[in-house]
Amino acid sequence: MSTGGPQARVPFTSEDYAARMRRAVADATRAGLDGLLVMPGPELVWLTGYRPTAITERLTVLVLTPDREPTLLVPTLERPDAEAAVGAPGLDIVDWADGEDPFARAAALVRAGATMGISDSAWAMHLIGVQDAVPGSSYRSLTQSLPMLRAVKDAAELARLEAAGAAADATYEQILGVRFAGRKETDVAADLARMLREFGHEQVDFTVVGSGPNGADPHHEAGHRTIEVGDAIVLDFGGLLDGYGSDTSRTVCVGEPSAEIRQVHEVVRLAQQAGVEAVRPGVACQEIDRAARAVITDAGYGERFIHRTGHGIGTTTHEPPYMIEGEEQPLVPGMCFSVEPGIYLPGRFGVRIEDIVTVTESGGQRFNNTSRDLHVVE
Ligand code: ZN
Ligand code: ZN
């Protein structure tokens, strides 16, 4: 159990980064790509440890190809930060100065006619600039070409995800003690954000407080509705701790729950349990969705479970693999994802229960371990 304050940092070694870059090149080659262009965003952080403080119109790009050392092209004024941040040996850092053409510099690293994978987070102006500078080149979405590149986590990454989960759990334990009735959803959301930071998160990505009818909208964040006695409230919150994500949901009730809230909550609890119990190596992602959905469908609420069962998590809080019908990717030890079934009754209330789960040799192991019983708050 976390006691708050900054968590102990689990260091990545320079070999961790070097291995990731080698794997990225090998995966790209297998996918029929001539290399990768990685712009600022989750892949660049994962591959090099470098997270530029400001992502701007100045071109920053990591070029990974099988025929040369990885090369990070940065604006001259960012070079000191990049040198301080990158954790990988054998990474060649080169810079371009204002007044130079950065796309000509990037083009010198990419062969004419090449098919390159490019980060989904790349700015269109940067893609177009490189494309115009490299004759006959073409580009593919990095996430679509290599969806499993970051999906299997190593031991140091698992430790960070576990720490992020423990901090989210500590936040949930603490939010149970605040007053809900008579306050606005945004007030409780602000409490959640403050607690996530107190328990070590450096970034808060979402703080959903869906009270009463608002809970029936899975994308509702938090609004100015005043919370009333009798409301079911969907709480769904997370962010980044040491660069790795947390994401957990619990549904609480203000005062005594109605029989219907109790019943719906129990169906979702059993569905979530069934989803977690279906996790083991070799099982297709869609089987996790099917296991959770079957419980909800059998209880008569199939039409009211209106989203996929889960998503991967790592340096972002939403990434492959997705637990969805049609996804046949088999689970592999080290994958981490959410299991988060829900039931949404329009105009009335919603229930969602969510844990982050990692695949181990023997089954699924949760990174969120707070009680999944329906908790009564004040
Ligand atoms: Zn969530
Ligand atoms: Zn989620």
Side-chain angles (χ1 to χ4, degrees), residues 29 51 87 134 138 166 181 210 237 258 292 299-300 307 312 323 334-335 357 359 364 367:
T29 303
R51 187 191 298 273
V134 183
S138 57
F237 47 93
S258 67
H307 54 72
M323 303 302 120
M335 284 181 173
V357 174
V359 185
F367 285 155

Side-chain angles (χ1 to χ4, degrees), residues 206 236 247 311 317-318 338 340 354 356:
F206 46 88
D236 184 349
D247 184 5
H311 55 80
T317 44
H318 278 160
S338 67
E340 51 175 308
E354 173 180 24
I356 300 304

Side-chain angles (χ1 to χ4, degrees), residues 232 251 258-271 296 299 301 304 342-345 348-353 374:
T251 302
S258 67
E260 189 182 26
I261 290 174
R262 276 194 190 286
Q263 189 217 339
V264 170
H265 187 276
E266 183 63 4
V267 172
V268 175
R269 190 185 71 77
L270 292 171
I296 290 175
Y301 293 101
R304 308 266 44 100
I343 292 176
Y344 306 94
L345 304 178
R348 304 177 56 215
F349 67 93
V351 174
R352 183 164 63 256
I353 299 175
L374 179 56

Side-chain angles (χ1 to χ4, degrees), residues 24 26 85 106 118 168 176 219 223 226-227 234 236 258 271 273 278 293 296 298 301 326 335 345 350 354-356:
I118 186 166
L176 292 176
H219 273 168
T226 298
I227 296 167
V234 177
D236 184 349
S258 67
Q273 182 70 23
R293 199 168 298 277
I296 290 175
D298 288 351
Y301 293 101
M335 284 181 173
L345 304 178
E354 173 180 24
D355 294 319
I356 300 304

Side-chain angles (χ1 to χ4, degrees), residues 292-339:
R293 199 168 298 277
V295 174
I296 290 175
T297 302
D298 288 351
Y301 293 101
E303 299 283 292
R304 308 266 44 100
F305 177 15
I306 53 178
H307 54 72
R308 68 193 174 205
T309 292
H311 55 80
I313 190 166
T315 50
T316 65
T317 44
H318 278 160
E319 62 189 40
Y322 296 102
M323 303 302 120
I324 188 170
E325 181 65 34
E327 179 52 83
E328 295 175 353
Q329 166 69 39
L331 296 180
V332 175
M335 284 181 173
C336 297
F337 50 83
S338 67
V339 177

